[in-house]
């Protein structure tokens, strides 16, 4: 029975298992040894991303003719989960690079732009950024203020973006800007802006609670002259495109959440077997066992919701509600898992010598990024009440 032809998602195919093992090994051998250095220094792991690119993990969703690996969202889930099980911060970078920037270009740009930009992104030669959020527009994304005025064969961009993953390290950015103020959401367009374009710069780099090696910066546009051919799709389609991209983004944050929660459980099992109090390992106490059992049950449920949304996406089945439910549930159980893991570690969970301290900091982003928990509930309720 394989995942690709049955709806209950209980078993991976041989190919999927091979992918899972490859990325698991990479995470243990290449990511784990240095992740706390990157975290402490808020250093962007460009070299590690380069290696992931060589393995095909930066072009997961794109066909081979564009330099990608030709895989689907189910495989995307597996890869993001396994990276995040060790380092959620790198999971976030891989998720944003694949699922936001590159996917936006691949899904909506014309053939010429796709051929020009996707191969370098898919191979990891270039890193992608995706700019929707601004100072005055977060959950209410359509309230953005960056403008793009047509000027002959160019658009002139003015404005700024906040909280952009790879804002400083990204070489290719997809940026949403207003081309027609009167048209509201339908007046927002998407552009590809290359690093080095005059008038385009990175602003403040955020000093973050968690996800510290996944760089997050402002983008600034000051009379930034972008070739008109860099418009993605048609004028006025940028917001609609972004909402579609965020639907896939929810699956990737759900996958990240499942991985983080699994990492918390792995560490909790190991530690509770080793640490003794009252002459017994912590795992001998029923209070610990119940925590582990609840974590495992929640993780399985979150993984199934996430794989189902991924499977639906791969099959072209509408999955707005399913992706939102997966993101909502998985991120909230991950928060709980991180908290329980620190509890199981006691004082040792509160210091940086053990991995659960980082999980506890990283996890908070998951109920916020790519649509907060409140926004996911709005999406789910809207779907329920409209049908
Ligand atoms: C590390 C990091 C990386 C990010 N990467 C990117 C990126 O690459 N590209 C990008 O474009 N953005 C990115 N973001 C931005 C992220 O998507 C936003 O932070 C998120 O969408 C929330 O927007 P906000 O922070 O402005 O919060 P706000 O929208 O101001 O929300 C604040 C609170 O109010 C609640 N709220 C808002 N509206 C409602 C409502 N109608 N009903 C009930 N509650 C509501 C929210 O749920 C939240 O709890 C990133 C953010 C972070 C922290």
């Amino acid at each position: 029975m394989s995942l690709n032809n049955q709806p209950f998602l209980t078993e991976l195919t041989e190919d999927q298992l091979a992918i899972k093992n490859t990325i698991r090994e990479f995470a243990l051998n290449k990511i784990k040894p240095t992740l706390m250095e990157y975290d402490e220094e808020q250093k962007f792991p460009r070299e590690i991303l380069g290696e992931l690119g060589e393995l095909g993990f930066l072009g997961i969703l794109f066909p081979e003719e564009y330099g990608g690996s030709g895989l689907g969202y189910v495989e995307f889930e597996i890869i993001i989960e396994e990276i995040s099980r060790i380092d959620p911060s790198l999971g976030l970078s891989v998720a944003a690079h694949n699922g936001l920037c590159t996917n936006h270009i691949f899904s909506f740009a014309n053939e010429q732009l796709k051929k020009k930009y996707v191969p370098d992104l898919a191979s990891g030669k270039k890193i992608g950024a995706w700019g929707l959020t601004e100072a005055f527009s977060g959950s209410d994304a359509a309230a953005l203020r960056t403008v793009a005025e047509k000027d002959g064969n160019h658009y002139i961009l003015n404005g700024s973006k906040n909280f952009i993953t790879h804002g400083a390290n990204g070489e290719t950015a997809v940026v949403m800007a207003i081309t027609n103020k009167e048209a509201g959401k339908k007046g927002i367009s998407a552009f590809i802006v290359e690093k080095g374009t005059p008038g385009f710069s990175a602003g403040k780099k955020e000093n973050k609670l968690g996800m510290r090696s996944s760089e997050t910066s402002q983008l600034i546009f000051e009379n930034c002259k972008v070739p008109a051919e860099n418009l993605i799709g048609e004028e006025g389609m940028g917001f609609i495109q972004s909402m579609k991209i965020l639907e896939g983004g929810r699956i990737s944050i759900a996958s990240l959440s499942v991985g983080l929660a699994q990492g918390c459980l792995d560490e909790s099992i190991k530690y509770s077997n080793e640490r003794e109090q009252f002459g017994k390992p912590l795992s001998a106490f029923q209070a610990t066992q119940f925590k582990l059992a609840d974590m495992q049950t929640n993780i399985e449920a979150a993984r199934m919701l996430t794989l189902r949304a991924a499977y639906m996406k791969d099959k072209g089945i509408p999955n707005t509600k399913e992706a939102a439910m997966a993101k909502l549930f998985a991120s909230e159980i991950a928060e709980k898992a991180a908290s329980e893991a620190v509890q199981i570690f006691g004082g040792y969970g509160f210091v940086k010598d053990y991995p659960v301290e980082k999980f506890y900091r990283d996890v908070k982003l998951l109920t916020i990024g790519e649509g907060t928990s409140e926004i996911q509930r709005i999406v789910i309720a809207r779907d329920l009440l409209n049908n």
Side-chain angles (χ1 to χ4, degrees):
M1 193 164 50
S2 97
L3 187 64
N4 290 333
N5 57 25
Q6 57 87 29
F8 295 106
L9 310 170
T10 53
E11 217 174 89
L12 301 182
T13 64
E14 266 180 39
D15 285 351
Q16 288 161 350
L17 266 179
I19 291 168
K20 190 178 167 77
N21 291 337
T22 304
I23 192 68
R24 171 90 177 137
E25 212 169 294
F26 184 90
L28 286 170
N29 297 328
K30 301 277 178 138
I31 303 172
K32 194 169 184 178
T34 51
L35 63 85
M36 278 313 279
E37 279 169 42
Y38 286 101
D39 180 78
E40 288 278 290
E41 294 167 27
Q42 283 217 123
K43 204 172 115 191
F44 183 64
R46 183 66 182 89
E47 325 71 58
I48 297 180
L49 280 164
E51 286 187 54
L52 283 167
E54 280 167 25
L55 289 170
F57 294 131
L58 294 191
I60 301 165
L61 299 166
F62 318 107
E64 285 169 21
E65 58 176 304
Y66 298 98
S69 303
L71 300 170
Y73 270 85
V74 168
E75 289 79 13
F76 192 33
E77 194 284 340
I78 294 165
I79 294 161
I80 299 297
E81 180 184 330
E82 285 303 329
I83 296 174
S84 310
R85 188 174 170 184
I86 299 298
D87 185 6
S89 212
L90 195 66
L92 181 64
S93 276
V94 174
H97 172 89
N98 274 281
L100 298 179
C101 174
T102 317
N103 199 28
H104 197 140
I105 298 172
F106 174 73
S107 302
F108 299 111
N110 61 32
E111 207 47 39
Q112 195 192 337
L113 289 175
K114 276 163 49 166
K115 288 259 155 69
K116 182 170 174 192
Y117 289 102
V118 175
D120 279 354
L121 288 162
S123 66
K125 201 168 152 199
K126 291 193 172 164
I127 295 296
W130 188 79
L132 178 66
T133 307
E134 298 186 1
F136 298 99
S137 60
S139 301
D140 182 10
L144 63 85
R145 294 182 184 178
T146 296
V147 290
E149 276 179 80
K150 188 93 191 270
D151 180 21
N153 290 333
H154 289 83
Y155 284 88
I156 311 292
L157 268 64
N158 277 293
S160 64
K161 299 281 168 189
N162 270 13
F163 295 137
I164 306 307
T165 301
H166 310 149
N169 284 277
E171 283 104 354
T172 305
V174 170
V175 177
M176 271 47 76
I178 298 169
T179 42
N180 178 357
K181 208 167 178 184
E182 278 68 53
K185 287 178 185 172
K186 291 187 178 154
I188 295 170
S189 305
F191 298 91
I192 300 172
V193 187
E194 290 183 46
K195 191 173 193 167
T197 308
F200 175 39
S201 59
K204 182 184 164 220
K205 178 182 165 181
E206 302 299 344
N207 185 3
K208 306 198 296 289
L209 165 74
M211 302 291 196
R212 286 171 58 82
S213 71
S214 176
E215 173 251 321
T216 314
S217 303
Q218 280 181 325
L219 296 180
I220 297 169
F221 305 92
E222 291 167 314
N223 292 322
C224 171
K225 210 169 163 186
V226 176
E229 67 206 28
N230 280 20
L231 172 71
I232 302 181
E234 289 176 19
E235 255 195 33
M237 293 303 290
F239 186 77
I240 294 152
Q241 293 167 1
S242 297
M243 291 304 108
K244 273 273 150 224
I245 290 301
L246 283 175
E247 203 171 274
R250 285 176 194 138
I251 297 173
S252 70
I253 301 295
S255 313
L256 216 167
S257 307
V258 174
L260 188 150
Q262 183 66 54
C264 290
L265 179 59
D266 296 341
E267 296 297 337
S268 300
I269 292 172
K270 190 163 157 254
Y271 186 79
S272 64
N273 278 328
E274 288 165 2
R275 170 80 169 168
E276 290 194 4
Q277 288 294 284
F278 301 99
K280 289 179 184 171
L282 298 180
S283 60
F285 302 122
Q286 201 177 50
T288 310
Q289 293 171 5
F290 281 10
K291 283 185 173 58
L292 300 177
D294 286 349
M295 279 158 93
Q296 172 68 16
T297 307
N298 280 336
I299 291 167
E300 286 288 324
R303 186 178 287 122
M304 285 177 80
L305 275 176
T306 308
L307 283 172
R308 182 181 64 157
Y311 174 86
M312 290 171 78
K313 182 113 184 126
D314 285 340
K315 294 281 170 206
I317 303 167
N319 58 89
T320 306
K321 182 182 69 182
E322 287 74 13
M325 290 194 301
K327 201 264 178 187
L328 171 66
F329 185 76
S331 62
E332 296 200 341
I333 67 101
E335 250 194 318
K336 201 154 176 244
S339 176
E340 292 290 46
V342 171
Q343 195 67 21
I344 288 171
F345 274 69
Y348 297 94
F350 204 66
V351 295
K352 291 181 187 289
D353 300 348
Y354 290 92
V356 294
E357 181 269 350
K358 181 174 176 301
F359 283 136
Y360 189 72
R361 287 185 287 108
D362 286 347
V363 78
K364 193 57 221 167
L365 189 266
L366 303 176
T367 60
I368 296 171
E370 298 192 34
T372 63
S373 284
E374 290 77 10
I375 296 304
Q376 305 311 320
R377 287 189 168 91
I378 290 172
V379 170
I380 297 160
R382 192 185 293 145
D383 185 277
L384 286 174
L385 299 171
N386 282 346
N387 289 322

